[in-house]
Amino acid sequence: MINQKTLAKTIEISGIGLHTGVAVNLILKPAPENTGYVFVRTDLDDFEIPASVEYISHCSYATTLLRRGVVLSTCEHLLAALRGYGVDNCFIELDNLEIPILDGSSENFIELIERAGTVEQNAPRRFLKILEPVEYADGDRRMSIEPSDRYEIECLIDFPHPLIKKQIYNFELVNGSFGREIASARTFGFTREIEMLRKANLALGGSLDNAIVLTDDGMLNEQPLRFENEFVRHKILDIIGDFALLGMPFLGKLKAEKSGHAVHASLMSKLLKTESAWEIVEVSGSRFQVSS
Ligand SMILES: [Zn+2]
Protein backbone atom coordinates (compact mmCIF):
# COMPACT_ATOMS: atom_id res chain seq x y z
CA MET A 1 0.00 0.00 0.00
CA ILE A 2 1.04 3.58 -0.55
CA ASN A 3 0.97 5.47 2.70
CA GLN A 4 -0.01 9.05 3.40
CA LYS A 5 2.67 11.68 3.79
CA THR A 6 3.09 14.91 5.68
CA LEU A 7 5.88 17.47 5.99
CA ALA A 8 8.99 16.52 7.97
CA LYS A 9 9.09 19.94 9.65
CA THR A 10 7.43 23.36 9.83
CA ILE A 11 8.29 25.91 7.13
CA GLU A 12 7.24 29.47 6.43
CA ILE A 13 7.15 32.10 3.72
CA SER A 14 5.77 35.63 3.36
CA GLY A 15 4.26 37.53 0.47
CA ILE A 16 1.27 39.52 -0.69
CA GLY A 17 -2.16 38.46 -1.89
CA LEU A 18 -2.81 38.79 -5.62
CA HIS A 19 -6.32 40.17 -5.26
CA THR A 20 -6.25 41.94 -1.90
CA GLY A 21 -2.63 43.16 -2.07
CA VAL A 22 -2.31 42.53 1.69
CA ALA A 23 0.87 41.19 3.30
CA VAL A 24 0.57 37.67 4.67
CA ASN A 25 2.78 35.23 6.55
CA LEU A 26 2.22 31.58 5.72
CA ILE A 27 3.35 28.64 7.85
CA LEU A 28 3.02 25.02 6.70
CA LYS A 29 3.02 22.46 9.51
CA PRO A 30 3.00 18.66 9.66
CA ALA A 31 -0.48 17.22 10.34
CA PRO A 32 -1.68 13.79 11.54
CA GLU A 33 -2.99 11.08 9.23
CA ASN A 34 -6.37 11.71 7.59
CA THR A 35 -6.26 15.46 8.38
CA GLY A 36 -6.06 16.53 4.75
CA TYR A 37 -5.31 20.23 4.23
CA VAL A 38 -6.64 22.57 6.89
CA PHE A 39 -6.28 26.37 6.70
CA VAL A 40 -5.85 28.07 10.07
CA ARG A 41 -6.49 31.83 10.35
CA THR A 42 -4.05 32.74 13.14
CA ASP A 43 -5.34 36.34 13.03
CA LEU A 44 -8.83 35.05 13.96
CA ASP A 45 -8.20 32.85 17.02
CA ASP A 46 -6.91 29.97 14.88
CA PHE A 47 -10.25 29.59 13.07
CA GLU A 48 -10.04 26.50 10.85
CA ILE A 49 -11.26 26.14 7.27
CA PRO A 50 -10.75 22.63 5.87
CA ALA A 51 -9.80 22.54 2.18
CA SER A 52 -13.05 20.95 1.06
CA VAL A 53 -15.56 21.30 -1.77
CA GLU A 54 -18.28 22.13 0.76
CA TYR A 55 -16.61 25.45 1.65
CA ILE A 56 -16.15 26.76 -1.90
CA SER A 57 -17.69 30.21 -1.91
CA HIS A 58 -17.08 31.96 -5.20
CA CYS A 59 -14.54 31.39 -7.86
CA SER A 60 -14.55 34.05 -10.55
CA TYR A 61 -10.83 34.90 -10.65
CA ALA A 62 -9.50 32.67 -7.87
CA THR A 63 -10.90 29.94 -5.66
CA THR A 64 -12.23 31.33 -2.40
CA LEU A 65 -13.35 29.31 0.60
CA LEU A 66 -15.85 30.53 3.16
CA ARG A 67 -16.80 29.00 6.51
CA ARG A 68 -19.06 30.79 8.99
CA GLY A 69 -18.29 34.14 7.41
CA VAL A 70 -14.51 33.67 7.42
CA VAL A 71 -12.85 33.93 4.01
CA LEU A 72 -9.78 32.21 2.63
CA SER A 73 -8.83 33.36 -0.84
CA THR A 74 -6.68 32.14 -3.74
CA CYS A 75 -5.86 28.72 -2.32
CA GLU A 76 -5.32 26.92 -5.64
CA HIS A 77 -1.58 27.37 -6.29
CA LEU A 78 -0.57 26.20 -2.82
CA LEU A 79 -2.98 23.25 -2.91
CA ALA A 80 -1.62 22.30 -6.35
CA ALA A 81 1.91 22.17 -4.90
CA LEU A 82 0.83 19.98 -1.96
CA ARG A 83 -1.21 17.60 -4.12
CA GLY A 84 1.39 17.66 -6.91
CA TYR A 85 4.22 16.81 -4.53
CA GLY A 86 2.23 14.08 -2.81
CA VAL A 87 1.75 15.73 0.60
CA ASP A 88 -1.55 14.41 1.98
CA ASN A 89 -1.79 16.14 5.35
CA CYS A 90 -0.82 19.70 6.24
CA PHE A 91 -1.89 22.57 8.50
CA ILE A 92 -1.71 25.84 6.58
CA GLU A 93 -1.51 28.77 8.99
CA LEU A 94 -1.91 32.30 7.72
CA ASP A 95 -2.44 35.67 9.38
CA ASN A 96 -4.60 37.26 6.68
CA LEU A 97 -7.29 36.25 4.21
CA GLU A 98 -5.32 35.46 1.06
CA ILE A 99 -2.54 32.97 0.26
CA PRO A 100 0.56 34.85 -1.02
CA ILE A 101 0.84 34.88 -4.81
CA LEU A 102 4.69 34.83 -4.83
CA ASP A 103 5.73 34.54 -8.50
CA GLY A 104 2.26 33.52 -9.73
CA SER A 105 3.15 29.82 -10.00
CA SER A 106 3.64 26.94 -7.53
CA GLU A 107 7.43 26.90 -7.84
CA ASN A 108 8.21 28.64 -4.51
CA PHE A 109 5.80 26.34 -2.67
CA ILE A 110 7.51 23.30 -4.18
CA GLU A 111 10.94 24.63 -3.13
CA LEU A 112 9.61 25.13 0.40
CA ILE A 113 8.17 21.61 0.59
CA GLU A 114 11.44 20.19 -0.78
CA ARG A 115 13.38 22.08 1.88
CA ALA A 116 11.11 20.71 4.63
CA GLY A 117 11.12 17.17 3.27
CA THR A 118 8.27 14.70 3.71
CA VAL A 119 7.70 11.75 6.03
CA GLU A 120 5.58 8.69 5.42
CA GLN A 121 2.73 8.07 7.86
CA ASN A 122 1.05 4.81 8.90
CA ALA A 123 -2.34 5.14 7.21
CA PRO A 124 -2.71 4.19 3.55
CA ARG A 125 -3.39 6.99 1.04
CA ARG A 126 -6.99 6.99 -0.17
CA PHE A 127 -8.01 7.73 -3.74
CA LEU A 128 -11.32 8.77 -5.25
CA LYS A 129 -11.68 6.17 -7.99
CA ILE A 130 -13.95 7.18 -10.84
CA LEU A 131 -16.39 4.43 -11.86
CA GLU A 132 -18.49 6.16 -14.52
CA PRO A 133 -18.20 9.40 -16.53
CA VAL A 134 -19.56 12.65 -15.13
CA GLU A 135 -19.72 15.79 -17.24
CA TYR A 136 -20.49 19.46 -16.69
CA ALA A 137 -20.89 22.10 -19.39
CA ASP A 138 -21.60 25.81 -19.37
CA GLY A 139 -21.79 27.03 -22.98
CA ASP A 140 -18.49 26.15 -24.64
CA ARG A 141 -16.77 25.62 -21.28
CA ARG A 142 -16.86 21.96 -20.42
CA MET A 143 -15.24 19.45 -18.18
CA SER A 144 -15.64 15.71 -17.66
CA ILE A 145 -14.06 12.95 -15.64
CA GLU A 146 -14.03 9.30 -16.65
CA PRO A 147 -12.55 6.06 -15.30
CA SER A 148 -8.78 5.50 -15.46
CA ASP A 149 -6.36 3.75 -13.13
CA ARG A 150 -4.15 6.87 -13.24
CA TYR A 151 -4.41 10.54 -12.30
CA GLU A 152 -4.68 12.15 -15.75
CA ILE A 153 -5.66 15.56 -17.09
CA GLU A 154 -6.23 16.56 -20.70
CA CYS A 155 -6.63 20.31 -21.03
CA LEU A 156 -7.47 22.55 -23.97
CA ILE A 157 -7.48 26.33 -23.96
CA ASP A 158 -8.26 28.60 -26.88
CA PHE A 159 -7.67 32.36 -26.71
CA PRO A 160 -7.60 34.61 -29.78
CA HIS A 161 -4.17 35.96 -28.83
CA PRO A 162 -0.94 35.46 -30.84
CA LEU A 163 0.97 34.10 -27.80
CA ILE A 164 -1.73 31.59 -26.87
CA LYS A 165 -4.20 30.51 -29.57
CA LYS A 166 -5.08 26.85 -29.13
CA GLN A 167 -3.00 24.87 -26.63
CA ILE A 168 -3.57 21.26 -25.63
CA TYR A 169 -1.64 19.44 -22.90
CA ASN A 170 -1.86 15.92 -21.52
CA PHE A 171 -0.59 15.50 -18.00
CA GLU A 172 -0.23 12.49 -15.76
CA LEU A 173 0.60 12.91 -12.09
CA VAL A 174 3.46 10.49 -11.50
CA ASN A 175 6.74 10.68 -9.63
CA GLY A 176 8.09 14.23 -10.08
CA SER A 177 5.94 15.17 -13.07
CA PHE A 178 4.26 18.12 -11.34
CA GLY A 179 7.60 19.73 -10.44
CA ARG A 180 9.04 19.19 -13.92
CA GLU A 181 6.09 20.10 -16.13
CA ILE A 182 3.60 22.25 -14.24
CA ALA A 183 4.87 23.91 -11.04
CA SER A 184 6.65 26.88 -12.62
CA ALA A 185 3.87 27.89 -15.05
CA ARG A 186 2.62 31.36 -14.06
CA THR A 187 -0.84 32.80 -13.93
CA PHE A 188 -1.78 35.20 -16.73
CA GLY A 189 -4.16 38.05 -17.39
CA PHE A 190 -5.05 40.59 -20.06
CA THR A 191 -4.46 44.34 -19.61
CA ARG A 192 -8.10 45.17 -20.38
CA GLU A 193 -9.26 42.58 -17.85
CA ILE A 194 -6.87 43.93 -15.22
CA GLU A 195 -8.37 47.45 -15.48
CA MET A 196 -11.79 45.92 -14.90
CA LEU A 197 -10.52 43.83 -11.97
CA ARG A 198 -8.89 46.88 -10.34
CA LYS A 199 -12.19 48.76 -10.55
CA ALA A 200 -13.76 45.82 -8.71
CA ASN A 201 -10.97 46.04 -6.09
CA LEU A 202 -9.34 42.85 -7.36
CA ALA A 203 -5.81 42.12 -8.64
CA LEU A 204 -4.56 44.85 -6.27
CA GLY A 205 -1.34 42.88 -5.62
CA GLY A 206 -0.89 41.94 -9.27
CA SER A 207 2.32 42.95 -11.05
CA LEU A 208 4.76 41.74 -13.68
CA ASP A 209 6.53 39.91 -10.82
CA ASN A 210 3.59 37.55 -10.28
CA ALA A 211 1.72 37.26 -13.58
CA ILE A 212 2.12 37.20 -17.33
CA VAL A 213 0.35 40.37 -18.45
CA LEU A 214 -0.93 40.19 -22.01
CA THR A 215 -1.59 43.19 -24.24
CA ASP A 216 -3.69 42.90 -27.40
CA ASP A 217 -0.79 41.47 -29.40
CA GLY A 218 2.04 40.63 -26.98
CA MET A 219 2.98 40.81 -23.32
CA LEU A 220 4.32 43.48 -20.95
CA ASN A 221 6.81 41.15 -19.21
CA GLU A 222 10.39 41.52 -20.42
CA GLN A 223 11.44 38.04 -19.33
CA PRO A 224 10.53 35.33 -21.85
CA LEU A 225 7.81 32.76 -21.23
CA ARG A 226 8.99 29.80 -19.15
CA PHE A 227 7.41 27.41 -21.67
CA GLU A 228 5.95 28.15 -25.08
CA ASN A 229 2.71 26.64 -23.75
CA GLU A 230 2.99 28.10 -20.24
CA PHE A 231 -0.68 29.13 -20.40
CA VAL A 232 -2.18 25.65 -20.72
CA ARG A 233 0.29 24.34 -18.16
CA HIS A 234 -0.96 26.95 -15.70
CA LYS A 235 -4.55 25.86 -16.38
CA ILE A 236 -3.54 22.35 -15.38
CA LEU A 237 -1.91 23.77 -12.24
CA ASP A 238 -5.21 25.46 -11.36
CA ILE A 239 -7.13 22.24 -12.02
CA ILE A 240 -4.83 20.22 -9.74
CA GLY A 241 -5.18 22.87 -7.03
CA ASP A 242 -8.95 23.07 -7.27
CA PHE A 243 -9.40 19.29 -7.40
CA ALA A 244 -7.29 18.99 -4.24
CA LEU A 245 -10.50 20.18 -2.56
CA LEU A 246 -11.86 16.64 -3.11
CA GLY A 247 -9.68 15.74 -0.12
CA MET A 248 -7.73 12.99 -1.88
CA PRO A 249 -6.23 12.37 -5.32
CA PHE A 250 -8.59 10.96 -7.95
CA LEU A 251 -8.01 7.96 -10.17
CA GLY A 252 -9.57 9.06 -13.42
CA LYS A 253 -9.11 11.08 -16.56
CA LEU A 254 -10.18 14.70 -16.38
CA LYS A 255 -10.86 16.47 -19.66
CA ALA A 256 -11.12 20.25 -19.57
CA GLU A 257 -12.06 22.58 -22.42
CA LYS A 258 -11.89 26.33 -21.73
CA SER A 259 -12.61 25.57 -18.11
CA GLY A 260 -12.09 27.90 -15.16
CA HIS A 261 -12.48 27.80 -11.39
CA ALA A 262 -16.29 27.95 -11.53
CA VAL A 263 -16.49 25.00 -13.93
CA HIS A 264 -14.05 23.02 -11.77
CA ALA A 265 -16.23 23.64 -8.71
CA SER A 266 -19.41 22.66 -10.58
CA LEU A 267 -17.94 19.39 -11.84
CA MET A 268 -16.62 18.49 -8.38
CA SER A 269 -19.96 19.06 -6.69
CA LYS A 270 -21.82 17.15 -9.43
CA LEU A 271 -19.32 14.30 -9.10
CA LEU A 272 -19.67 14.09 -5.32
CA LYS A 273 -23.48 14.09 -5.59
CA THR A 274 -23.36 11.27 -8.17
CA GLU A 275 -22.48 8.58 -5.65
CA SER A 276 -22.59 5.75 -8.21
CA ALA A 277 -19.74 7.45 -10.11
CA TRP A 278 -16.97 6.86 -7.56
CA GLU A 279 -15.65 4.86 -4.66
CA ILE A 280 -12.83 5.41 -2.20
CA VAL A 281 -9.97 2.93 -2.61
CA GLU A 282 -6.43 2.25 -1.46
CA VAL A 283 -3.92 1.11 -4.06
CA SER A 284 -0.52 -0.50 -4.12
CA GLY A 285 2.28 0.05 -6.62
CA SER A 286 4.94 2.66 -7.16
CA ARG A 287 3.18 4.86 -9.76
CA PHE A 288 1.68 7.08 -7.13
CA GLN A 289 4.74 7.53 -4.96
CA VAL A 290 4.52 11.13 -6.02
CA SER A 291 7.37 13.40 -5.02
CA SER A 292 10.11 15.22 -6.83
ZN1 LIG B 1 -3.90 30.08 -11.23
Side-chain angles (χ1 to χ4, degrees), residues 123-135:
R125 178 177 289 161
R126 292 169 302 178
F127 294 81
L128 193 79
K129 183 173 173 55
I130 304 302
L131 302 175
E132 59 186 54
V134 176
E135 188 176 340

Side-chain angles (χ1 to χ4, degrees), residues 61 74 76-77 101 104 185-188 234-235 237-238 261:
Y61 292 95
T74 319
E76 60 270 22
H77 300 170
I101 188 66
R186 292 163 296 170
T187 193
F188 58 96
H234 186 79
K235 277 287 172 190
L237 191 160
D238 281 339
H261 298 299

Side-chain angles (χ1 to χ4, degrees), residues 1-4 34 88 123-131 148-150 247-252 277-284 288:
M1 284 299 153
I2 298 164
N3 284 354
Q4 297 178 24
N34 301 316
D88 300 283
R125 178 177 289 161
R126 292 169 302 178
F127 294 81
L128 193 79
K129 183 173 173 55
I130 304 302
L131 302 175
S148 166
D149 55 4
R150 303 173 179 196
M248 62 189 78
F250 58 80
L251 291 179
W278 51 269
E279 64 178 348
I280 293 171
V281 300
E282 296 160 3
V283 298
S284 51
F288 300 102

Side-chain angles (χ1 to χ4, degrees), residues 121-288:
Q121 299 174 287
N122 291 322
R125 178 177 289 161
R126 292 169 302 178
F127 294 81
L128 193 79
K129 183 173 173 55
I130 304 302
L131 302 175
E132 59 186 54
V134 176
E135 188 176 340
Y136 175 84
D138 176 14
D140 63 348
R141 299 171 177 274
R142 61 178 64 243
M143 196 170 207
S144 62
I145 192 161
E146 61 193 54
S148 166
D149 55 4
R150 303 173 179 196
Y151 180 115
E152 296 179 273
I153 300 172
E154 178 187 298
C155 182
L156 176 150
I157 60 172
D158 192 1
F159 288 87
H161 187 281
L163 289 177
I164 312 181
K165 293 176 279 191
K166 190 181 272 190
Q167 300 188 346
I168 299 172
Y169 199 90
N170 283 287
F171 175 74
E172 183 186 350
L173 186 61
V174 285
N175 198 358
S177 64
F178 180 81
R180 283 192 306 273
E181 300 174 38
I182 304 297
S184 64
R186 292 163 296 170
T187 193
F188 58 96
F190 298 86
T191 45
R192 56 176 186 280
E193 189 183 70
I194 290 165
E195 285 160 26
M196 197 181 74
L197 287 170
R198 289 258 161 93
K199 278 181 194 152
N201 258 342
L202 290 168
L204 298 177
S207 75
L208 296 176
D209 294 330
N210 54 36
I212 303 167
V213 179
L214 296 159
T215 58
D216 285 343
D217 54 3
M219 63 176 182
L220 295 181
N221 307 63
E222 285 171 10
Q223 301 296 320
L225 292 175
R226 293 175 177 179
F227 305 96
E228 192 193 345
N229 56 1
E230 187 167 356
F231 307 94
V232 71
R233 291 178 194 243
H234 186 79
K235 277 287 172 190
I236 289 177
L237 191 160
D238 281 339
I239 291 169
I240 294 168
D242 284 343
F243 277 76
L245 295 169
L246 289 173
M248 62 189 78
F250 58 80
L251 291 179
K253 180 164 188 177
L254 256 185
K255 292 182 180 172
E257 244 184 78
K258 303 184 184 181
S259 71
H261 298 299
V263 172
H264 307 164
S266 298
L267 181 69
M268 282 190 285
S269 67
K270 185 172 177 183
L271 172 65
L272 291 180
K273 281 181 201 141
T274 313
E275 286 181 20
S276 58
W278 51 269
E279 64 178 348
I280 293 171
V281 300
E282 296 160 3
V283 298
S284 51
S286 60
R287 173 173 292 276
F288 300 102

